[in-house]
Amino acid sequence: MYMCADTNLGGAVNMRSTIMVIVLLFLGSITAVSGVFRLDSVAGWLQAGALPANELDRRYVEHPWLSYLHIVPGMVFFLLAPFQFVARIRTRWPGVHRWVGRVAATAALTAAITSIAAAIVFPAYGNWLSAFSSYVFGTYMTLSLVLA
């Protein structure tokens, strides 16, 4: 039977794990809510048939499919990934744990690849350091997921 490392280590480890999952879910929820607002904004501008005056918003509206392919998988990843740290799910339902992991990893890979594409297609917002960090982080995340 599949066992995880922290199942029999006592209450302190379980409490820290619970706090970590709650914090990750909270941060993932913030990301998901901002993603919903961004998607709603893009859809509104597309329906209106106009471009927003704000340069950042305009980039998303000019490339809606790239925006959707980055935001939606990113939201899926940020909402599913914290559940990979729940020991009870790993031990009681290892099949669910594996499938959630596969879905989260696929969503993360899609978001990482589209972040690199967005950094190429959207001109750098900010300066060269902003563009460079997008390339480095997107490439690092992509390579990490492929190797995992």
Side-chain angles (χ1 to χ4, degrees):
M1 176 173 186
Y2 177 77
M3 295 296 290
C4 70
D6 62 349
T7 53
N8 295 322
L9 294 179
V13 172
N14 289 334
M15 179 57 92
R16 280 185 275 154
S17 296
T18 301
I19 291 171
M20 179 185 63
V21 169
I22 290 170
V23 168
L24 289 174
L25 278 172
F26 175 72
L27 295 174
S29 297
I30 292 171
T31 304
V33 167
S34 67
V36 167
F37 283 127
R38 174 64 66 191
L39 292 174
D40 184 54
S41 171
V42 169
W45 284 105
L46 288 173
Q47 286 177 345
L51 290 175
N54 182 342
E55 182 183 351
L56 181 63
D57 291 338
R58 189 175 332 117
R59 294 172 185 198
Y60 285 95
V61 174
E62 288 175 342
H63 306 283
W65 288 107
L66 183 58
S67 301
Y68 294 144
L69 282 173
H70 176 69
I71 294 170
V72 172
M75 289 171 27
V76 169
F77 171 71
F78 279 115
L79 292 175
L80 288 181
F83 292 105
Q84 291 300 97
F85 297 104
V86 178
R88 183 170 287 174
I89 293 174
R90 288 194 309 263
T91 56
R92 290 189 183 174
W93 303 289
V96 170
H97 170 73
R98 287 188 205 107
W99 275 104
V100 168
R102 289 178 186 127
V103 171
T106 302
L109 186 61
T110 303
I113 290 170
T114 55
S115 74
I116 296 169
I120 293 168
V121 172
F122 300 175
Y125 191 77
N127 57 18
W128 67 271
L129 190 58
S130 174
F132 180 74
S133 64
S134 294
Y135 297 134
V136 168
F137 182 72
T139 303
Y140 175 75
M141 188 167 175
T142 302
L143 290 175
S144 297
L145 288 162
V146 169
L147 293 175

